Amino acid sequence: RGVNDNGTGNGATQRKWREQFLSKLKQVGLLQEQREVRKAKKMIHFILLSAPWSVLCYYAEEINLKVPLEVKPSHAAVTFLSKLSLPNPLSQNVPNPPLEYYTCQFRTNKLERSAVSLSSVSVLSLCPLSGTRLVSLYEILARTPYGCVNRGEVGIDRLISEEVFTAAYPLHEMPDNPVSLQSLGLRQILHGYWSKWSCWRRYQPLGHIRAYFGEKIALYFAWIGFYTAWLLPASLVGTLIFLLEHIPNLFVSFVSLQAGLLFDNWGTVFLSLFMSLWAVTFLEYWRRTSSTLTHRWGCSEFEDIEERPRPEFSAMAPMTMRNTITGAEEPYFPENKRLNRTAAGCMIIVIMVNLLIFCAGTIASISASVLNLIIILTLSRIYTSLAGILTRWEMHRTQTKYEDMFILKVFIFQFVNFYSTPVYIAFFKGRFVGYPGMYNTLFGLRNEECGAGGCLIDLAQELLVIMVGKQMINNVHEFISPKVQAWWQRNKMRTPQMAGTQTMMDVSPWEADYELLVCEGLFGEYLEMVLQFGFITIFVAACPLAPLFALMNNWVEIRLDAQKYVKEFRRPVVERAQDIGIWFHILQFISHMAVISNAFLIAFTSSFVPRLYYRYTRDSTLSGFVNFTLATAPLSHNSTCKYRGFRDDNGDYLPEYFHLIAIRLSFVVVFEHVVFFIGRLIDLTVSDIPEEVEIKIKREYYMAKQALAENKRRPGLSAGEQPEETDPSYHFDSLLV
């Protein structure tokens, strides 16, 4: 692992911290080598670090890493297809697929039980650039103190925040000229079999992604791939209903000027019910898939119960207190002050949300949906910055807690920001207009009415502009922005003479990686997909083609994200994870909101219930239905004027109005009870952990117990020893910069 130092810490304190930190790393046992490179009239100092076998073993035990015991059998599905001689059109022959092992906790004196020979550096996946090795190395950098521990002067993250160092990152694998597919490196495999556009219809090599980037990033790509696969049936059903129900009614709708026929039909009801159940079932099966992957990757029992304080928290905490778990003195912020700040932050959020809701009606009154989209995208950046300021001000101790609170704030802002206008159109527009001679006003302005075809037409238009427009803008931005930023960064670091003569062969691996962009995490990627999930579930009754547009977008999104991580970002620090975190709970909230929203859309926004009521109480052929929904204006105003409503000539509500209110509310109750009941049945029927995974967990537990209980040692090379490394520069050239 390596650290980059550009000499910005010119102060005596920063210089002292840097020297003490590097001295502590030597005491721990890390090997160091320094390089200097001049770029654009500035000297950049690179410090390359590597850990010998004994140090890696010590920290592997400390952080409970796993060691392989025995190769697991292949998947039943693959064996079944091969027996039937049925090719899988989505599979691809990716070189060097990582084997799956039964594992146990790493113990140096039990390495003779490992499934991998000790003569190879593959024990514990300890190849120079493997993700597991980088976990141990980063743990060393994160734990090493450089000053007063009570003041939180610990770890590389704090040093970077104090500008003692400018960066710390693992090295990417450098491309070479392999003579066979088996000699390809992980990065080359990911580039050739994952990030290329031609791989859009293939399974993602999740095992390779996990081996190179770690479990946290691999789980994101596993989730988006799983979500995209589940969009296939949703898009097929939505497109089929659109073609069968909407196209035959299209000509009739234009002739009769009743475009509401496009949505007020049984197909819309079926699609709403289908998508509500789809959302619930999708989350249940993702839970199963997540448990399978985390067990396969050996992180199902991972819990960071001793998570370190954030660097910003350590720097700003006013006092110290003994940690009840570790017993060490740590920076501390009084809990009552944090609660007060959190309450104040919640009040600010409530105020901003109310402002957004108030503006939604004003913006929606403007017919230009494109202008609405521009305003929404502008506000989204402002509110994301505000959420970051509020979360930092609340002084959360750990990075996990900080990220959860930040994600929650941003989601609340963005949920209201993106969905307030569609909600206004779906449930409030045209509801409180009044009638001729007695129109309602707000601040002197008459409330807006729906068009002749009903509010669902306006809602469909708004959804298409916001959802599809946002996706197109984001994809163009993700395609162009990283390339422009990378070009600017490379040219900023090189002098004009170097820019014209220096080639990639002349640049060292640490220099090449330093010129790449800093990975900013998965927050933006998750947020984009979660908002999309809301569009295709909450308002699907108004836009049956939404799942199809989401499917096409995700095919592009996966390749853009893959290209960024493989070619345009510095290699991120490997992080372990059990699941996708708070995002799963947000998806559950959206799925519940979708059930309620679709029920109210069908019952109150569409004319499906009035048509059904008229069919069974008046005329089964719907003859005269339009006149049934129209009322005559009061005689004092205009005897020939008709408007939409169930009122008599004096403007009072007719009995049919109250009948329909009761039927609509009953429909909502029945709809959501049916969906939630079926969802509960699915939850009870589908176990969170598949049966074959439970068997493997029990098998692994048995083997781990046997391995840790035995005291026999293999003859020859003693346990814990590693063949002497005669060329330590091998690790320097291969690890971090």
Side-chain angles (χ1 to χ4, degrees):
R1 177 170 289 275
V3 179
N4 166 259
D5 165 28
N6 71 349
T8 58
N10 295 322
T13 302
Q14 292 177 316
R15 191 178 303 110
K16 176 184 176 182
W17 285 348
R18 184 164 54 245
E19 292 173 356
Q20 288 181 346
F21 183 70
L22 296 177
S23 175
K24 291 286 186 180
L25 292 181
K26 286 184 179 180
Q27 294 177 16
V28 170
L30 293 190
L31 307 176
Q32 301 182 19
E33 184 175 325
Q34 298 193 22
R35 303 289 176 85
E36 295 183 355
V37 178
R38 179 172 295 277
K39 286 183 176 290
K41 300 180 181 180
K42 180 174 65 175
M43 185 64 70
I44 301 179
H45 304 269
F46 292 90
I47 303 173
L48 284 70
L49 305 177
S50 180
W53 169 258
S54 59
V55 176
L56 289 174
C57 287
Y58 173 80
Y59 279 92
E61 290 191 23
E62 282 285 305
I63 59 179
N64 296 323
L65 292 184
K66 299 296 185 72
V67 65
L69 291 175
E70 179 182 293
V71 178
K72 293 180 182 178
S74 60
H75 300 302
V78 176
T79 305
F80 178 75
L81 289 175
S82 60
K83 285 183 178 180
L84 295 179
S85 300
L86 293 176
N88 190 339
L90 301 179
S91 65
Q92 57 178 339
N93 295 322
V94 183
N96 305 328
L99 296 176
E100 297 179 21
Y101 293 97
Y102 293 112
T103 62
C104 71
Q105 288 189 356
F106 185 90
R107 293 291 183 269
T108 305
N109 60 349
K110 300 297 180 182
L111 286 180
E112 68 275 7
R113 284 300 309 264
S114 172
V116 185
S117 172
L118 279 175
S119 61
S120 167
V121 293
S122 297
V123 174
L124 192 59
S125 301
L126 290 179
C127 57
L129 284 175
S130 71
T132 308
R133 182 182 182 114
L134 296 179
V135 169
S136 301
L137 289 169
Y138 182 75
E139 189 69 19
I140 298 172
L141 293 181
R143 287 186 179 190
T144 303
Y146 58 87
C148 180
V149 177
N150 292 346
R151 293 196 298 266
E153 295 173 351
V154 179
I156 187 63
D157 293 331
R158 175 76 184 275
L159 287 171
I160 293 176
S161 67
E162 297 285 353
E163 298 185 351
V164 177
F165 295 97
T166 58
Y169 50 91
L171 272 175
H172 271 300
E173 288 183 351
M174 296 304 293
D176 52 15
N177 297 316
V179 296
S180 64
L181 292 178
Q182 285 67 32
S183 61
L184 286 173
L186 280 174
R187 191 185 186 192
Q188 292 174 303
I189 292 174
L190 293 176
H191 173 67
Y193 294 87
W194 180 45
S195 64
K196 288 186 176 180
W197 292 102
S198 57
C199 302
W200 66 273
R201 64 182 183 90
R202 301 294 188 180
Y203 288 136
Q204 299 182 88
L206 295 177
H208 297 78
I209 299 171
R210 178 252 176 177
Y212 195 70
F213 293 111
E215 288 83 7
K216 189 173 184 178
I217 293 177
L219 277 174
Y220 162 72
F221 283 104
W223 176 80
I224 191 176
F226 186 82
Y227 169 49
T228 304
W230 272 68
L231 281 174
L232 280 170
S235 60
L236 287 175
V237 172
T239 305
L240 188 63
I241 288 177
F242 180 82
L243 294 177
L244 293 180
E245 296 286 353
H246 296 177
I247 297 301
N249 291 331
L250 191 60
F251 178 75
V252 178
S253 300
F254 282 127
V255 171
S256 62
L257 298 179
Q258 295 184 34
L261 287 175
L262 293 174
F263 302 97
D264 300 336
N265 49 65
W266 281 100
T268 301
V269 178
F270 173 78
L271 181 62
S272 299
L273 180 64
F274 173 83
M275 289 302 298
S276 299
L277 293 174
W278 175 90
V280 175
T281 310
F282 160 72
L283 293 178
E284 288 299 324
Y285 275 90
W286 164 248
R287 201 201 303 262
R288 286 170 56 89
T289 302
S290 177
S291 64
T292 302
L293 291 175
T294 52
H295 171 71
R296 182 187 305 170
W297 296 338
C299 56
S300 56
E301 299 177 357
F302 165 69
E303 290 184 4
D304 200 359
I305 60 175
E306 297 182 9
E307 189 173 358
R308 291 174 293 274
R310 294 187 305 117
E312 294 85 353
F313 176 85
S314 300
M316 299 175 63
M319 56 189 296
T320 62
M321 180 172 286
R322 185 174 299 276
N323 188 309
T324 56
I325 297 176
T326 63
E329 286 284 332
E330 287 186 355
Y332 178 77
F333 189 81
E335 194 66 28
N336 58 339
K337 290 186 178 180
R338 178 182 294 112
L339 291 176
N340 291 337
R341 292 189 177 189
T342 303
C346 291
M347 291 301 298
I348 295 175
I349 292 175
V350 170
I351 293 173
M352 300 305 296
V353 166
N354 287 332
L355 288 175
L356 277 175
I357 294 174
F358 173 76
C359 293
T362 306
I363 296 174
S365 299
I366 305 173
S367 301
S369 299
V370 177
L371 176 60
N372 185 17
L373 175 62
I374 296 174
I375 296 175
I376 287 175
L377 295 178
T378 304
L379 291 177
S380 66
R381 292 186 173 273
I382 296 174
Y383 291 131
T384 301
S385 301
L386 178 60
I389 295 172
L390 290 176
T391 310
R392 286 191 295 271
W393 182 59
E394 292 171 1
M395 290 291 290
H396 297 287
R397 175 181 173 273
T398 63
Q399 186 66 23
T400 300
K401 186 65 175 177
Y402 172 86
E403 289 179 357
D404 287 348
M405 296 304 295
F406 175 70
I407 290 171
L408 187 60
K409 287 183 179 65
V410 174
F411 172 73
I412 293 174
F413 282 146
Q414 303 292 37
F415 184 88
V416 177
N417 187 29
F418 279 94
Y419 299 150
S420 56
T421 301
V423 167
Y424 166 78
I425 296 175
F427 303 117
F428 298 98
K429 183 179 179 181
R431 299 290 174 187
F432 311 102
V433 177
Y435 56 90
M438 191 61 70
Y439 287 111
N440 299 324
T441 60
L442 181 64
F443 300 112
L445 299 176
R446 177 178 159 183
N447 294 337
E448 190 179 15
E449 297 186 60
C450 297
C455 286
L456 280 180
I457 292 294
D458 297 338
L459 179 59
Q461 172 187 318
E462 191 72 21
L463 287 175
L464 286 175
V465 172
I466 294 178
M467 178 182 169
V468 179
K470 176 180 176 296
Q471 290 178 350
M472 293 178 62
I473 292 174
N474 284 343
N475 287 336
V476 171
H477 179 266
E478 289 188 31
F479 181 76
I480 297 178
S481 179
K483 293 176 172 55
V484 174
Q485 293 180 34
W487 173 84
W488 176 258
Q489 187 159 318
R490 284 194 301 269
N491 284 272
K492 183 176 65 175
M493 293 181 182
R494 299 181 185 181
T495 61
Q497 293 80 8
M498 294 172 58
T501 59
Q502 195 173 26
T503 63
M504 287 301 297
M505 298 301 295
D506 302 324
V507 178
S508 61
W510 41 91
E511 291 179 70
D513 285 3
Y514 186 61
E515 294 176 353
L516 297 177
L517 302 178
V518 177
C519 178
E520 297 179 352
L522 297 168
F523 165 75
E525 316 300 339
Y526 271 119
L527 181 63
E528 181 181 354
M529 291 296 103
V530 166
L531 291 174
Q532 180 198 90
F533 182 80
F535 278 119
I536 69 169
T537 54
I538 296 178
F539 305 106
V540 70
C543 189
L545 294 180
L548 178 63
F549 291 126
L551 175 66
M552 294 187 293
N553 171 80
N554 289 6
W555 278 332
V556 177
E557 181 72 25
I558 292 176
R559 300 310 145 201
L560 289 176
D561 290 343
Q563 290 176 7
K564 288 191 300 184
Y565 276 92
V566 173
K567 298 191 297 183
E568 295 163 357
F569 283 166
R570 292 177 190 168
R571 188 176 181 181
V573 175
V574 172
E575 295 184 63
R576 293 186 293 171
Q578 284 181 299
D579 47 41
I580 62 175
I582 194 175
W583 294 110
F584 182 81
H585 302 291
I586 292 176
L587 290 170
Q588 284 185 315
F589 167 76
I590 292 178
S591 66
H592 294 157
M593 289 295 297
V595 176
I596 299 173
S597 172
N598 282 308
F600 274 93
L601 270 175
I602 296 173
F604 286 91
T605 305
S606 73
S607 60
F608 174 79
V609 172
R611 289 177 187 276
L612 203 62
Y613 175 80
Y614 186 84
R615 185 186 298 273
Y616 286 101
T617 60
R618 298 291 196 279
D619 190 336
S620 60
T621 63
L622 293 179
S623 176
F625 172 74
V626 175
N627 288 329
F628 170 72
T629 61
L630 299 178
T632 304
L635 297 176
S636 60
H637 179 69
N638 188 346
S639 60
T640 62
C641 177
K642 287 185 176 290
Y643 62 96
R644 182 175 298 166
F646 296 94
R647 296 175 184 267
D648 58 20
D649 294 343
N650 297 321
D652 298 325
Y653 286 115
L654 294 171
E656 287 81 0
Y657 172 81
F658 298 101
H659 295 165
L660 286 172
I661 288 292
I663 295 173
R664 282 167 164 163
L665 290 176
S666 301
F667 177 87
V668 170
V669 173
V670 172
F671 184 91
E672 58 93 8
H673 271 69
V674 168
V675 174
F676 285 137
F677 175 74
I678 297 176
R680 183 57 179 167
L681 285 181
I682 295 172
D683 187 18
L684 295 175
T685 305
V686 180
S687 61
D688 293 344
I689 303 177
E691 182 179 356
E692 61 270 17
V693 175
E694 290 183 347
I695 295 174
K696 290 180 180 179
I697 290 175
K698 294 177 181 178
R699 169 67 176 168
E700 184 173 69
Y701 175 78
Y702 170 79
M703 296 185 64
K705 184 177 179 180
Q706 292 293 108
L708 296 177
E710 292 181 0
N711 293 319
K712 296 180 180 180
R713 295 182 181 273
R714 191 179 61 182
L717 191 64
S718 61
E721 291 185 8
Q722 179 71 358
E724 184 178 356
E725 297 172 359
T726 58
D727 184 12
S729 64
Y730 168 75
H731 292 318
F732 285 141
D733 292 338
S734 303
L735 289 175
L736 284 171
V737 180

